[in-house]
Every structure is written in C-alpha cells, then in structure tokens.
Amino acid sequence: LKQCNVWLYLDAGHGGWLGWAANQDPAAQLFASVYTAVPNNRVRGLATNVANYNPLQLTVSDPVTQGNPTPDELSYVRAIGPKLTANGFPAYFIVDQGRSGVEKLRDAWGNWCNIEGAGFGMRPTSSTPDSLIDAIVWVKPGGESDGTSNTSATRYDSTCGLADAKKPAPEAGSWFQAYFEDLVRYANPAF
C-alpha cells in the first residue's frame, strides 16, 4: 500500500444512504476526519454504490428515491464532492455499476439482497461524465450471493426473504448461477 502507484478509495455508501440533505455534511466531516487522522495515507477518494443497484444517472423517476436530492450516484457525487473538499478530503470517486443496469427494481431503497431482475450496468471505464469520477467499476463479483433466502439458515437475513429478492438464494459469498444469468440477461448495455 505504500507504492506510489496504488490508491485507496474508502466506501461511501450510496446516494440512498448518505445523499439525504441531513446526512451530507456529517458524512463529509466524518470522511475528512478519517483522512486527516492518517498521515501520509494513500487515500485518493471514495467508492460509491458498492454492491448496490443505483444507476449513475436515472433515466426515469424512481418512486423509492422520492424526496432525496441525490436519486442517483452522479447527483450524489456532485452534492457531496464540494462538501468533502471544503473539509480537506480529496473529492475523487469510483462508482460501482456492476448491478445497476435496470432501474426501478426495488420495493424500498434500503433493499439490497439479490434484487430480482438486476442486470450488469455500465461497463468499467475511466471515461466518465464528471471530472470528480475517476472510474466506473464493477466491485462485487457478478453472481456472488448477497445472502441466503433459507429462513432456517444460521446467517439468514430477513432482507433476503423480501418480495424483491431472488429466491432460492445460497449463503452470502456463494456462487449464485441463476442470479449471474439474470445479470447477463438484463445487462444494460446488453452484451
């Protein structure tokens, strides 16, 4: 990690968690305090939407984002970026779009487990719509399960049993072939 060509990006949630107006300033202050507490660190910025489903830029209004000033990751980056800079944190981002190919899938914005109908999103690239975004990436391996839908499993999380979660799903971290096939089938742009 001390190599001059290695940079770190800290996880910054996504617009649905930290993009709300009341969350932006406290989040920027917290990230800045972490950044300044470590001398000579290799942190370049933040990673957003890791293993989540928010598009970079909404093309249609999504009811689950109603009232949030940052309904997509581009608006989140543009809202929190200046607040980070004002607090002494470098405002550069990588944005995960590995499962963001299909919009308006979730019954609630907080739903996160193996969302039914998700597709691979924008391909990884360093060609981005904003200079604050270093790259579009795919962080979570496509086909890796978020969690099991088996209610008797020790690691069962009730979010994985919700109506918008694909079932039957294996344990978190296990290969989920049917989910991978959906990600390919519903990819946008298509393969």
Side-chain angles (χ1 to χ4, degrees):
L1 295 177
K2 293 186 185 255
Q3 299 299 316
C4 64
N5 61 344
V6 175
W7 291 98
L8 302 173
Y9 294 82
L10 305 178
D11 191 337
H14 58 76
W17 288 343
L18 298 179
W20 296 91
N23 294 342
Q24 291 177 25
D25 284 322
Q29 292 163 7
L30 177 64
F31 288 125
S33 71
V34 170
Y35 176 76
T36 57
V38 180
N40 304 317
N41 68 56
R42 300 294 302 158
V43 174
R44 176 158 168 85
L46 300 174
T48 76
N49 202 47
V50 173
N52 214 283
Y53 304 88
N54 295 345
L56 183 64
Q57 192 164 19
L58 275 173
T59 58
V60 294
S61 179
D62 189 338
V64 302
T65 67
Q66 188 172 12
N68 188 322
T70 63
D72 56 42
E73 294 309 293
L74 184 57
S75 60
Y76 175 46
V77 164
R78 288 177 174 166
I80 201 167
K83 294 173 187 296
L84 290 163
T85 301
N87 282 281
F89 188 95
Y92 295 101
F93 299 84
I94 57 174
V95 181
D96 188 351
Q97 291 291 280
R99 302 194 298 180
S100 303
V102 181
E103 297 177 25
K104 295 175 67 172
L105 291 175
R106 293 172 285 183
D107 295 336
W109 212 352
N111 295 4
W112 52 265
C113 192
N114 302 316
I115 300 299
E116 181 84 46
F120 285 119
M122 178 187 261
R123 304 297 188 272
T125 183
S126 60
S127 178
T128 70
D130 194 292
S131 61
L132 292 176
I133 302 174
D134 287 337
I136 303 301
V137 297
W138 288 3
V139 176
K140 183 174 178 86
E144 181 181 270
S145 179
D146 293 324
T148 183
S149 56
N150 178 352
T151 57
S152 65
T154 303
R155 295 174 53 204
Y156 174 72
D157 184 301
S158 62
T159 306
C160 298
L162 295 174
D164 57 5
K166 186 169 182 72
K167 299 168 209 68
E171 290 281 348
S174 298
W175 183 253
F176 192 178
Q177 182 66 28
Y179 198 68
F180 176 76
E181 291 171 9
D182 282 353
L183 290 170
V184 172
R185 180 180 305 113
Y186 302 122
N188 181 17
F191 285 103

